[in-house]
Structures are given as C-alpha cells and as structure tokens.
Amino acid sequence: MLDTRYVRAAEVAEMLDVSKAKAYKLIAEMNDELRSQNIIVINGRVPRKYLMKKIGE
C-alpha cells in the first residue's frame, strides 16, 4: 500500500527483510527520535516519508 501515510511493522519487515519483532524495535526507535522533535507519533506505525529518509530512499 504505497498510498498510505504510515507504515506498519509487517510492511517494514518486508521492506527491510527483517523479522516482525525487529521491525517493531526499529519503529520504536524511530518514534523515539520523532518524539524528541516534539512530533506526535502512533505506536506501531511510522510515517512513510520518515522511514524512506532513514533507509536512504
């Protein structure tokens, strides 16, 4: 679903070829970074634009 604003763990796992548990950990780390910038986050999801920026695409 490339038209969604947020990415869930299953899609992160598939994109990065990691386990779903690792994807949740990565999402939590990214959400912590966003929180430190005073950006509202949704647990278990990460903004697609931010993920793409972090992975270099």
Side-chain angles (χ1 to χ4, degrees):
M1 288 191 149
L2 293 175
D3 59 345
T4 58
R5 183 171 275 173
Y6 289 90
V7 181
R8 294 176 184 239
E11 190 173 350
V12 171
E14 185 178 324
M15 289 172 69
L16 302 178
D17 194 27
V18 296
S19 69
K20 205 169 177 183
K22 178 66 175 178
Y24 276 113
K25 288 179 184 179
L26 292 170
I27 289 172
E29 289 175 15
M30 288 185 271
N31 281 341
D32 287 342
E33 292 171 8
L34 291 169
R35 271 189 203 96
S36 72
Q37 300 171 26
N38 293 322
I39 297 173
I40 297 171
V41 299
I42 300 172
N43 289 336
R45 300 178 190 179
V46 67
R48 185 176 300 280
K49 283 185 181 182
Y50 190 73
L51 173 65
M52 299 311 270
K53 177 181 161 187
K54 292 293 282 187
I55 65 173
E57 288 191 25

